[in-house]
Each structure stands twice: as structure tokens, then as C-alpha cells.
Amino acid sequence: MRVPLSWLREYVDLPAGESGRDVQAKLISAGLEVETVEQLGAGLKGPLVVGKVLTIEELTGFKKPIRFCTVDVGTANGTGEPQEIVCGATNFAVGDKVVVILPGGVLPGNFEISARKTYGRNSHGMICSARELGMGDDHDGIIVLPPEHEAGTDAIELLELVDEVLDIAVTPDRGYCLSMRGVARETAIAYGLPLRDPALLDVPGPNSYGYEVQVADPVGCDRFTARTVTGLDPEARSPIWLQRRLQKAGMRPISLAVDVTNYVMLELGQPLHAYDRHRIEGAIGVRRAQPGEKLTTLDGQVRVLDPEDLVITDNHGPIGLAGVMGGATTEIDDTGASTTDVVIEAAHFDPVAIARTARRHKLSSEASKRFERGVDPQAAAAAAQRTVDLLVLLAGGTAEAGVTEVIAPSAPHTITIPADHPDKVAGMAYGRETVVRRLQQVGCDVYGADELIVTVPSWRPDLRDPNDLAEEVIRLEGYENLPSTLPKPPSGRGLTESQKLRRRVGRALAGAGYVEVQNYPFLGEAVFDQLGLDADDPRRVTATLANPLSDEEPALRTTLLPGLLGALRRNIGRGAHDLALFETGLVFRPSGEESAPPRLPVDRRPTDAEIAALDAALPPQPRHVAVVLTGAREQAGWWGTGRPAQWADAIEAGRVVAAEAGVELIVRQDQQAPFHPGRCAALCAVVDGEEVLVGAAGELHPRVIKAMHLPERTSALELDLGGLERASGGPVVAPRVSAFPVATQDVALVVDDSVPAAEVEGALRSGAGELLESLRLFDIFTGEQIGTGRKSLAYSLRFRAPDRTLTAEEASAARDAAVSAAAERTGAVLRGA
């Protein structure tokens, strides 16, 4: 909402020296978001006057039309002689009144005007357009003023070029501030000054001979006021003061009737619509649209109506989308030259219906913005009266005596609130007197002593419960005055084991060289095809959002990889090449067994059963961790050669994560999307004695890399943190450190290529017994020496006893037992045996 300070002063007697910045500070303190204060006319310097065009000489021989004019500027030039000016605009004629800036003047933007020779003639000044004066973006031609203004009149004052405009970002709960009336009320409260309410007008009561209105949907339209004005002068134009106020508020002047309705909407906050009476057939009606009905709106678009749309009709059908935009069949044209009789509509519509219609048709208008935030229903009659008065005053029309008002009965909203409730919410004492005074300032009627009965004003539909009233008291007393009180958490509480695990995992991955990113949890169906997921892959089953931020990503993610790979691609596009990223977050895996969510009450706390029913409607949301990496894993330099990131690094990242949970991962060769079939590992853990798949890692499939525009050899990992936590034995217990020496034994086992190294390692561990402290694979060899289709795996086994020094025989026996177990389970034989 753009609020000119000069207009605001009509309703509140601000101190004479008060600037826009001062008002901004006061309104921000009262809780309004005043984003900027625009200084109109900054740098403008006269003489800028009204001029009368005396002669026009068309100059030829140039690429564009050039005119040499003589203009009467009165005594503004000091001589009274006509001013010679060269101008390129063609939208004025001899006898027109124009705006002239004389030599020595300065236009906005520090554009100095001086006498100069141009196009072969001497030009002493400039005839100005609206853009050059900072009045708007219209640069089609110069400003032609009404003929009644005398030559030489100061145009700076006439056009109100110097002003300050407050730009307020109105939040959805403060729809009343989308009007001068609402902002003036807040300003008056902030300064402690009286308000001249522009809605306090003498309004005639309804009678039986007004324009006929039939409301078929009193829920969608609970109030409809119609007034008629006849005999309008078709040549009448909006006066300069009206046009300038619209321009400062960010609206374009169109025609007198339309400008007046826009002006009253800005003044009182009540959207209005003016119909050309001769284009309406029969009574005006309000109803829901019928299936298949169409309407051509004022923007020229043909719209297919929905049965939930609220429409305005006549005998021929819809003539407007209620509260959103009028129809083309009854519009008043841009000039208003053919319109002499108008019917004024001032109605109150259901905010939800208007909001849904505006979004359904992607048609946001000034009217819909106000209706969906809440409009004062009591202001409809005053707004209609104000419109009628202005049309009669400015266009010489006659107000018909008929007044139509269709009203659905409704009682004012009342709230019961303890007088000390704002004190408890704010954590400081205001006292009953302050609470009552502040509520009365916002327009409430307050009765009672310890318990207050508050009647909410009609222009504040956002005040629904005691906390809303407490907020009004607190904001008007000043948020900056609230005490800073630190919460006192009860002792003995801290992070849960899950939270501790997430923090350990994050620190471990960061220590391993990964950078954490956070992505939006949304995706589209197309990414599943890019990842090469099968049609029956459970990751394709998604929970779809009812109101997504983007139509291209309407579903909640079932895997972290799309977001991570997108972040990887964006960073590569910005010049980064060696990347290792990780993310932890929830994924959403609908099972199909979720129930419909219940509608929770708003007047009380939900019961445990209702909360349980709400939880049952949610899909399972396991927490995952994922990494992606590409480029160099180790940089080359003077210290030696580097190496590129590969699938083994992704598996190692999985081991790093599992180690933080105290889990030993079981790594097996696997084939699953989106990984390369020969470079994919399934990562398993033992949960309750059973081996459970907790994730996968490897190099991405070449088709995935091509579809997602990723570098070759990009690798990734995704693990279920919840699964790792279930496999964990609880908090890690520190091992007892033995003071006795270690005995190291190396073995080289030959197995078939198809035997996983992890299976051999598991057999060695189980056979070595309790004396085994650690086991490490340090070499893999293939070659003719051991035969085709065979490989040699060399392990280092460390044995140690907690209470004695092991003998060579004990260490050898433990090694032999480990080798025997490996031979029995995997067919391994000692190399060289």
C-alpha cells in the first residue's frame, strides 16, 4: 500500500515538521512493515509553470517530427513575452495548456535546463511529459492540462509534484491497512491524535425503489449495496488532484467513473465496481457459476467458470467475477465518453471464496487483495455514498433516490478475555486501564472489570481470540519495550541419542572433507526417470503437496540424491570441479495405508486420540544421510600425485557414518538404480540378529550421468540413519586398553573372483576368536601366478590378550583357526600352499 503523506494529513493533524521518515518510525513501532519512504520531486527546481501554446511550426527535414512552438508563460520568464521552445511531441495543439520548465530549472535526476540551439532553432526551455516530471512511466506525449488553469501558474504546486510516499508491506492479518482510512487510524493511535474518519458520512437508508438486486448465495455475499447516478457529463475528466493521488498510490488514471471507484477504494478500503447502466439487462444477481459458463473479463480473457466461483449476473448471464474483476459486456470504456448513467456496486464477499477464485483463474486484482484479507462490511454503504457524491460533484450527475441494500443478518463478534491476559503473554504488567485504553483505540467496545467482554470492530476480522487482543495491546505499547527473559530449561534434559548421532555424523563427514548442504525437500516425477528407477521402485511412490511451491516439483522427496545432485550440478556450473557434498534429512515414503487426516478443532487443545489420528495420516519419514562426490579426492602438488574420487570413496563415507553409530557395515556387490551395475555396493547391518539393507553406494550409471548433466565417474552414497541407529548397541563403550604387546600375523588367501572380500573378512573374524583385536585388508592381487578367475586377498591380523603376553603358538593357532573358517565358508586356500 502506497500512502502519500499529503493525503494522510487530511485525516490526521500531524505536526507540521513531521517527515515521512518520522511517520515511518512510528508505524514500524506499531507493527506495520513500512519498507521505504519515496521522496517525490527530489531535486526538482523551478521555474516550472503552466504555459499556453500560441503557435506551432512543423519543422521538416528531420528523421522524426519536430515542432517549433511559442508558449505564453505569463510573467514567469520575467518579460511576459512568448517563450520559444522546440518540442518533439505531437499530442498537443494551439490553445492547449501544457507544463513548461524554463531555463535555470532542474528536473528529477539532476537534469538541468538551459537555453540552447537545436534543430536550427533556439529553444528556451522544455515542454514536459509525465515521466520527465516523475509522475509516472507515461512517455507517449507531454501533459495537456485542463483549460481553466492560467498561464504562468506554478505547476509544482498545481501538480503536487513534491511529496513523500510511504510504501507499506501489508501482512495478511492487517487487510484494513490497504486503505488510507486504516493507515490513518494506525497513525492517529501512534501519535495519540484524533482521527477524522472518512467513512463517517450521512447515508440514506435503503428503500424499495433502488436498482433491483437478487442475492442467491447469502453466504458468499452477505451485503450488497447498489446506487445509481444518471446524467453524467461524458466529457468530464478526473481533476488533477484526483489523478495525482491515484498516481502516487501506484494506479493509472483511466476515466472519471473508474477513477472515482479506485479513489474511494484506496480511501475507505471497500472495493467498488461501476456498471454502465445501459449495458445491464434486468436485475443484478449474485450466485455461484454454473458448469460450463464463460465470462470475458475486463482484461479481455475468456474464462471458463468453476461451480465454486461467485459471479455477478444480469438476465443474460455472468457480467463479473465477484470481488475479482468485472466483465467486458458492462464495462465503462477508457474515455467514458459513451457512459452517462452508472450503477455503483459496493458489496461484501466471503474472503475464502474470493481467494480461491483469484488463485483458480490466476487473476489477482486490487479488489481481490482486499477481499481475501478482510473488508469492513459496515463500510459498503458509506463507500457507495462517497462514490455518488464525487460523481455528482465532478461530472454533474444526479443521484437517484433509490438505495438498495441486501444484508444477511449477523451479530458482532465478541471475545471474553481476562484483564491480565496481555500481561501473562508479554511477561510484563500493563494493567487493566492500559489494556482497555489500547483496545478502545483500535475500535473495540470493552465492558467488565476483571474479565473483559470485548466487541470487535467490523474492520478487524483478524481479531478472533484473546491472544489476538493481547497482541494488539503489546504492539501498541511497543515490542521494543518487552523485557528480554531467557528461558529456564529444567535440569537433566539434553539431546536425544538420535540427535547426538546426527551431530556426530555431521562432524565426521565434515572432518572427512565433505561440505554440508541443505536442499528443498521437493521433487518432480521426471527425476525418477533421470535416475533410471524401475516402474515398481518404491521410491516412485510419493506424497503430493496440495499447494506446491512449484508445479514442476509437487511431491515430497523419497530420496536425498536428486537434491544433492542438483546442488552438485549448480556448483560445477559456477566453476567448482572438485566437490564432496553431504546432506542429512527426512525422506517421505508413503505406504498406502495412511488414513485421512482429521480436522482438528481450533477452540481447544486436540485430544491424544486426535493427535494419534493425525500422526497415523502421515507417511513414514525415515532420516537419511547421503553424499555425492566428483573430481579430485586428493589434490596433486609438491607432496605427490593426487587421485580422483571414485566409488570406493563413497563406500568409505558409509563406513565413516556407520562408525559413529558403532556399527560395522557389511559390504556386498549389488545392482540397483541409480548406480553402475559393476560398481555398486549394498550396505547392510545386523539388526536383532538379522542382516538388513541400510543403504547403497557406488558410481552413478552412465545414463544417469548423461541425463542429469554430471561429470563422469560421479559417485554417491545414501544410508538410512534410523536403520543404523537400530543396529547400534547403544552408546559406544570404550574398550579396555591392554598393556601387553600385540602379535601380528599376515595371511594371503586365494578365492574365486566372485567371492566378496567382506565375506572372507567375516569368516576370518568368526574363526579367529576373542584374541583378534583388528583385521585389515592390505592387498589384492590377480595374475597368472594364481590362475584365471582367481584373486589373492592379503590380510593383516592383530592378536592381543588382555591379561598376558601371547606366545607364538597361541597367535599361530588363532591364525590357523581363522584360515580354517575362511576355507570352510568361502573355499579359500592359503597362497603358496
Side-chain angles (χ1 to χ4, degrees):
M1 177 69 185
R2 290 173 56 84
V3 179
L5 190 60
S6 59
W7 194 357
L8 185 62
R9 288 182 182 275
E10 283 198 4
Y11 313 117
V12 183
D13 289 327
L14 295 172
E18 204 74 355
S19 69
R21 297 288 184 189
D22 298 328
V23 177
Q24 178 189 31
K26 286 283 190 179
L27 292 180
I28 289 176
S29 179
L32 293 183
E33 296 180 18
V34 186
E35 294 187 329
T36 60
V37 178
E38 184 179 350
Q39 305 290 331
L40 299 184
L44 178 63
K45 178 183 176 183
L48 183 74
V49 298
V50 176
K52 179 179 181 181
V53 180
L54 301 177
T55 64
I56 297 177
E57 178 185 351
E58 304 287 347
L59 303 183
T60 59
F62 301 101
K63 293 182 179 180
K64 60 181 181 179
I66 299 297
R67 311 169 102 188
F68 179 68
C69 311
T70 59
V71 184
D72 176 15
V73 295
T75 60
N77 57 3
T79 65
E81 296 295 323
Q83 201 80 0
E84 295 179 339
I85 299 175
V86 175
C87 183
T90 59
N91 67 315
F92 63 96
V94 172
D96 283 347
K97 300 292 179 64
V98 295
V99 179
V100 178
I101 187 167
L102 301 177
V106 180
L107 289 174
N110 199 28
F111 183 53
E112 298 182 2
I113 304 300
S114 60
R116 62 192 181 98
K117 189 171 183 178
T118 180
Y119 296 104
R121 301 295 180 94
N122 291 320
S123 181
H124 301 273
M126 188 171 78
I127 303 175
C128 301
S129 69
R131 179 188 287 182
E132 290 160 347
L133 294 176
M135 296 171 57
D137 295 330
D138 186 6
H139 202 55
D140 296 336
I142 57 90
I143 301 172
V144 178
L145 299 172
E148 64 267 18
H149 300 291
E150 294 294 331
T153 303
D154 183 4
I156 294 179
E157 182 178 352
L158 174 67
L159 298 177
E160 302 177 13
L161 296 178
V162 179
D163 202 351
E164 294 180 278
V165 178
L166 285 70
D167 193 349
I168 303 175
V170 179
T171 53
D173 62 328
R174 303 214 180 275
Y176 65 97
C177 284
L178 287 171
S179 67
M180 294 299 303
R181 181 194 185 201
V183 176
R185 185 181 301 279
E186 291 295 320
T187 305
I189 296 173
Y191 279 90
L193 297 171
L195 169 71
R196 287 188 291 274
D197 191 343
L200 295 180
L201 302 175
D202 290 330
V203 179
N207 50 54
S208 60
Y209 41 91
Y211 199 94
E212 184 180 359
V213 174
Q214 299 173 351
V215 177
D217 189 342
V219 175
C221 176
D222 57 7
R223 184 179 295 262
F224 196 109
T225 301
R227 300 289 298 274
T228 305
V229 181
T230 60
L232 298 178
D233 179 4
E235 300 298 325
R237 296 292 178 266
S238 300
I240 291 176
W241 66 266
L242 179 57
Q243 294 188 43
R244 287 298 293 136
R245 286 190 171 178
L246 291 176
Q247 289 170 338
K248 292 176 185 179
M251 303 188 76
R252 181 175 63 89
I254 298 174
S255 65
L256 178 59
V258 176
D259 292 348
V260 166
T261 57
N262 285 335
Y263 177 83
V264 175
M265 177 184 68
L266 292 173
E267 184 179 49
L268 302 181
Q270 168 67 53
L272 301 110
H273 192 71
Y275 300 95
D276 189 329
R277 182 176 183 178
H278 299 297
R279 295 186 176 188
I280 303 176
E281 295 291 336
I284 293 177
V286 184
R287 60 170 171 81
R288 300 285 175 168
Q290 297 174 0
E293 279 190 312
K294 295 181 179 180
L295 171 67
T296 302
T297 47
L298 290 175
D299 58 0
Q301 297 292 319
V302 178
R303 304 184 184 276
V304 180
L305 303 179
D306 187 273
E308 289 190 7
D309 290 337
L310 200 63
V311 294
I312 309 298
T313 65
D314 66 1
N315 288 348
H316 292 300
I319 59 174
L321 271 176
V324 180
M325 185 174 286
T329 58
T330 58
E331 74 170 318
I332 298 173
D333 60 35
D334 287 354
T335 64
S338 61
T339 302
T340 58
D341 301 342
V342 298
V343 177
I344 306 299
E345 166 204 308
H348 184 262
F349 301 110
D350 175 45
V352 175
I354 301 306
R356 288 177 176 172
T357 296
R359 285 158 178 72
R360 187 180 299 116
H361 294 281
K362 297 180 180 179
L363 184 61
S364 179
S365 64
E366 292 293 332
S368 67
K369 289 177 185 177
R370 287 164 172 80
F371 276 123
E372 64 189 32
R373 286 166 173 79
V375 169
D376 181 5
Q378 303 290 342
Q385 182 64 45
R386 177 72 165 141
T387 305
V388 169
D389 293 343
L390 287 173
L391 288 176
V392 171
L393 175 67
L394 302 176
T398 301
E400 288 194 352
V403 177
T404 302
E405 278 195 11
V406 179
I407 301 175
S410 62
H413 181 62
T414 60
I415 303 172
T416 301
I417 173 176
D420 62 349
H421 183 67
D423 301 1
K424 295 178 180 179
V425 173
M428 62 181 297
Y430 292 119
R432 179 188 179 280
E433 182 181 345
T434 299
V435 171
V436 171
R437 175 171 55 86
R438 289 303 190 184
L439 292 179
Q440 288 175 339
Q441 284 179 333
V442 299
C444 298
D445 291 330
V446 185
Y447 304 95
D450 293 337
E451 187 149 285
L452 305 178
I453 300 175
V454 181
T455 302
V456 174
S458 58
W459 59 84
R460 293 300 303 271
D462 59 301
L463 303 180
R464 308 304 302 171
D465 59 46
N467 287 329
D468 295 331
L469 300 179
E471 181 185 357
E472 292 300 296
V473 175
I474 295 168
R475 75 175 181 88
L476 294 178
E477 284 295 305
Y479 290 121
E480 66 277 9
N481 296 323
L482 291 177
S484 297
T485 306
L486 293 176
K488 297 179 180 179
S491 61
R493 297 186 183 180
L495 298 177
T496 65
E497 291 302 321
S498 296
Q499 292 169 332
K500 292 177 182 177
L501 174 61
R502 294 206 301 270
R503 293 194 176 190
R504 292 199 304 270
V505 166
R507 285 194 294 266
L509 288 175
Y514 291 85
V515 176
E516 185 172 16
V517 298
Q518 292 182 339
N519 297 295
Y520 286 116
F522 312 121
L523 49 72
E525 293 289 336
V527 76
F528 296 139
D529 297 329
Q530 293 176 336
L531 293 175
L533 303 187
D534 294 335
D536 58 349
D537 194 301
R539 287 173 289 182
R540 283 186 175 269
V541 181
T542 60
T544 304
L545 298 170
N547 187 22
L549 294 179
S550 169
D551 292 338
E552 296 180 356
E553 295 182 331
L556 291 170
R557 66 189 177 192
T558 56
T559 167
L560 298 180
L561 291 183
L564 265 179
L565 294 174
L568 185 79
R569 183 174 60 248
R570 285 191 296 274
N571 280 275
I572 290 172
R574 286 161 175 77
H577 301 291
D578 305 322
L579 295 166
L581 309 177
F582 83 94
E583 180 180 11
T584 58
L586 300 178
V587 297
F588 306 84
R589 296 289 185 85
S591 63
E593 299 178 358
E594 292 81 17
S595 59
R599 185 180 294 274
L600 297 182
V602 295
D603 57 343
R604 59 174 174 79
R605 184 188 184 279
T607 64
D608 292 341
E610 289 170 333
I611 294 176
L614 189 65
D615 289 339
L618 299 175
Q621 301 173 41
R623 186 174 296 275
H624 282 198
V625 58
V627 308
V628 293
L629 62 164
T630 189
R633 186 66 178 129
E634 295 178 3
Q635 297 289 342
W638 58 265
W639 52 83
T641 59
R643 69 174 182 84
Q646 55 184 342
W647 58 271
D649 294 301
I651 296 175
E652 182 59 27
R655 289 195 173 101
V656 168
V657 172
E660 296 302 320
V663 175
E664 186 76 25
L665 281 183
I666 302 170
V667 182
R668 303 190 185 282
Q669 187 175 1
D670 197 10
Q671 294 186 19
Q672 59 173 284
F675 299 104
H676 190 295
R679 303 187 183 104
C680 171
L683 306 179
C684 303
V686 177
V687 179
D688 296 330
E690 296 185 5
E691 191 174 300
V692 176
L693 180 68
V694 293
E699 181 182 308
L700 294 181
H701 197 289
R703 284 196 294 267
V704 175
I705 289 175
K706 181 179 180 181
M708 303 191 77
H709 307 289
L710 299 170
E712 294 182 356
R713 305 295 187 186
T714 297
S715 300
L717 154 81
E718 185 162 11
L719 277 175
D720 180 2
L721 271 182
L724 287 178
E725 191 174 0
R726 290 190 295 274
S728 171
V732 177
V733 179
R736 181 177 179 276
V737 179
S738 173
F740 295 95
V742 65
T744 302
Q745 299 276 348
D746 293 342
V747 295
L749 303 177
V750 178
V751 296
D752 289 339
D753 270 341
S754 60
V755 177
E759 189 172 336
V760 177
E761 180 178 327
L764 289 172
R765 286 184 183 278
S766 64
E770 295 180 353
L771 295 178
L772 181 67
E773 181 178 82
S774 66
L775 181 152
R776 180 175 63 90
L777 174 67
F778 65 87
D779 184 53
I780 300 177
F781 175 77
T782 58
E784 295 179 357
Q785 298 93 323
I786 58 175
T788 305
R790 307 277 284 174
K791 61 183 177 184
S792 172
L793 304 176
Y795 292 91
S796 177
L797 290 78
R798 292 166 55 90
F799 298 98
R800 195 193 312 256
D803 56 351
R804 68 187 187 282
T805 299
L806 291 178
T807 64
E809 291 77 10
E810 288 177 313
S812 297
R815 180 202 62 190
D816 293 342
V819 171
S820 297
E824 181 180 348
R825 289 171 51 178
T826 66
V829 296
L830 277 172
R831 185 176 174 183

